[in-house]
Amino acid sequence: MTTLPTTRATRAPLVRPPLSPPSLARAASTIVWRNLLHIRRMPEMLLDVTVQSVMFVLLFAYVFGGAIAVAGSDYREFLLPGIMVQTMVFSSAVVATGLTNDLQKGIVDRFRSLPIPRSAVLVGRSISSLIHSSIGVAVMGLTGLLIGWRIRNGVVDGVLAFLLLLLFGFAVIWLGIWVGSIMRTVEAVQGFMFTVMFPLTFVANTFAPTESMPTWLRFVAEWNPISAVTQACRELWGNGLPAPADAAWPLQHAVPVSVGWSLLLTAVFAPLAVSAFRRRSRD
Amino acid sequence: MGGTAAVEAVDLVKHFGTNRAVDGVSFVVPEGTVLGLLGPNGAGKTTLVRMLTTLSVPTSGTGRVAGFDVVTQPNEVRRSMGLTGQAATVDEILTGAENLRLVGALYGLPRAYVRDATERLLDRFDLTDAADRMAKTYSGGMRRRLDLAVSLLAAPPILFLDEPTTGLDPKSRSGLWAVLRELVDEGTTLLLTTQYLEEADQLADEIVVVDKGKVIAAGTPTQLKDEAGRASVVITLTHARDLAAAADLVRAHSPEVHVDRTGRRVTARAGGLGDMTRIAAAFEASGIELDDLGLARPSLDDVFLHLTGHRAEDAEDTEEAEPGPITEGAAP
Ligand SMILES: Nc1ncnc2c1ncn2[C@@H]1O[C@H](COP(=O)(O)OP(=O)(O)O)[C@@H](O)[C@H]1O
Ligand SMILES: [Mg+2]
């Protein structure tokens, strides 16, 4: 006898089957599946790396672009690598909001009550964020092709630049996990990321050459990791001249320096992120 | 059931800064039994459950689930238990069926089993029609049922439920109780927390009353009721203006009289039926109009008042506006 309105005779108790708790790879890919399902259900989640980035492209290519002089290249060619790096940087905001949301809604607790490897939640989150921003980069590439951007240096260099973008994206994801673990609400994360990410992506060579900036600002911009990665992509794709002789050292060696920045950022933020996440999910 | 301990708390302590949320709690839940952790908001129930389910690391003390230590053997503990937390932890963007599939995959359960169990659990919790709808379209009660279904997916031998019926309407509540009784009949060990005295009374074999992080009483529901003392006579008046006269009249027969102005009620400690008959006769003679007169056995509500000096409802920090506990009987 039960008061639940049940009709069918499916009341035989469930018999516990053998459990085979998943490996890190299986658990993480399950979580990736779940995160991607979110994107499919709510395509508007992609707005930040698609429509928003396309708007940046159009705004700079057609509104501001005419006023920005670029030596040795068409402005649109110059712009595209910058926007792609910006899109990658935004993946840190994507991972941060996703993580805060899961922490807030108790989803992380649900995962942690299951016999899965501890790191599966973060690994799954990072991978799906990389996929998220890669979708953005693909959209950027197509937009770029439409307005005249081309990869001019052959396949190997072309692919290398994309790998560099992914590596840098991986590095900033740790920043996102760190911020996402510290902040209590999605709104706080968005506010923080907006205030930090926008200046960071603008005080760089993303939208305009650094040569015309005041000396001190130029110094900051040229040491900004975003500039090195942007310069590296431009060089690898053949979208502009090498950095001028008076540019700071990182821009003179953009490709190796970008790799270095990515490793350094990972080395700094990954431990911070992991310990913040652990602390957050201990109480 | 052999009396083996399914869950054991040994002097568990959790401090948040200076807040002693859990301050040395010990209890044992024998296999196949139901333990009710009863306490008002902020008593430390959730913190206790979180420590026992590996979500929170104790400041000190030991927790064991199915014989495994919650700190040193978290994965064994996680394999042995299911948890339905205080707030529903379903993924709102996924459908009901997908929520089950997600957790099934994370347990590493065979696909065929997950398919079959999903169908049965959705049916058991009356969610079959909503199986393919995103959980964000579910009502609060449906989310809780889905959350419980998810916790039951791997047929865990030990189940933790943190305030499983808070916020449910009375019908859903009794429906959930029925399901929980079935689980117990099937041999599941249950540890549930509740603010509802009636719920602990209905479901638990053993009740542990916690307040401010400490155990203040433990025993079977009957033992706790005995502890609260004798019965009382409850008189409900037709007119509030008669309250003073009625109280005077009752005082002649009982040493302890309580007047409840809004309820137009007078309550008196009574020895039993004899006292009640005498008080009834006195009212008959006085001509004061009554709506009702009866004998009330102490409810767990009274137990709580007796133990803590405050009612379960007037806990200081009631964050959520939830329907108050349903208590039967005429306790003021
Ligand atoms: N994560 C936390 N950080 C700080 N204080 C907490 C935390 N969780 C609970 N508390 C505090 O611990 C005490 C017990 O809370 P809780 O276990 O949620 O009680 P209950 O579940 O019985 O309502 C409360 O004073 C609460 O404010
Ligand atoms: Mg609680």
Side-chain angles (χ1 to χ4, degrees), chain A residues 30-107:
Chain A
T30 303
I31 291 174
V32 170
W33 164 76
R34 173 254 176 187
N35 292 345
L36 294 184
L37 214 50
H38 276 220
I39 296 182
R40 216 174 74 196
R41 296 275 152 77
M42 301 191 298
E44 64 271 22
M45 282 171 73
L46 287 171
L47 285 181
D48 54 351
V49 295
T50 55
V51 174
Q52 191 177 312
S53 301
V54 170
M55 274 177 29
F56 266 104
V57 173
L58 299 181
L59 192 66
F60 277 87
Y62 295 101
V63 181
F64 303 136
I68 304 174
V70 181
S73 165
D74 173 63
Y75 180 68
R76 292 175 207 167
E77 293 250 322
F78 173 88
L79 175 66
L80 246 286
I83 300 258
M84 288 205 189
V85 177
Q86 187 191 40
T87 303
M88 268 347 251
V89 170
F90 284 161
S91 62
S92 63
V94 173
V95 74
T97 47
L99 192 60
T100 306
N101 194 45
D102 282 355
L103 281 164
Q104 228 184 333
K105 295 250 167 80
I107 306 284

Side-chain angles (χ1 to χ4, degrees), chain A residues 69-155:
Chain A
V70 181
S73 165
D74 173 63
Y75 180 68
R76 292 175 207 167
E77 293 250 322
F78 173 88
L79 175 66
L80 246 286
I83 300 258
M84 288 205 189
V85 177
Q86 187 191 40
T87 303
M88 268 347 251
V89 170
F90 284 161
S91 62
S92 63
V94 173
V95 74
T97 47
L99 192 60
T100 306
N101 194 45
D102 282 355
L103 281 164
Q104 228 184 333
K105 295 250 167 80
I107 306 284
V108 171
D109 279 348
R110 165 62 75 196
F111 288 155
R112 287 178 60 238
S113 76
L114 302 171
I116 58 172
R118 289 181 66 128
S119 47
V121 175
L122 291 187
V123 173
R125 213 0 103 200
S126 333
I127 294 173
S128 53
S129 292
L130 273 182
I131 294 175
H132 186 143
S133 29
S134 302
I135 295 173
V137 167
V139 171
M140 279 313 92
L142 292 176
T143 315
L145 289 175
L146 285 179
I147 63 168
W149 167 76
R150 295 289 180 273
I151 295 174
R152 301 188 187 278
N153 281 0
V155 178

Side-chain angles (χ1 to χ4, degrees), chain A residues 10 12 34 41 109 282-283, chain B residues 50 56 91 98 120 123:
Chain A
T10 45
R34 173 254 176 187
R41 296 275 152 77
D109 279 348
R282 265 175 77 95
D283 285 343
Chain B
R50 289 177 62 82
S56 171
D91 188 326
E98 283 164 350
R120 290 213 252 158
D123 184 42

Side-chain angles (χ1 to χ4, degrees), chain A residues 16 19 21 109-118 281, chain B residues 52-57 65 68-71 73-83 107 154 156-158:
Chain A
R16 167 164 264 219
L19 299 184
D109 279 348
R110 165 62 75 196
F111 288 155
R112 287 178 60 238
S113 76
L114 302 171
I116 58 172
R118 289 181 66 128
S281 51
Chain B
L52 289 170
T53 54
T54 76
L55 296 183
S56 171
V57 181
V65 173
F68 300 112
D69 188 287
V70 295
V71 176
Q73 299 168 293
N75 270 321
E76 286 80 357
V77 170
R78 289 170 192 159
R79 252 172 262 171
S80 315
M81 59 89 190
L83 164 68
Y107 266 117
I158 301 167

Side-chain angles (χ1 to χ4, degrees), chain B residues 40 63 69 117 157 184 224 272:
Chain B
D69 188 287
V184 174
L224 288 178

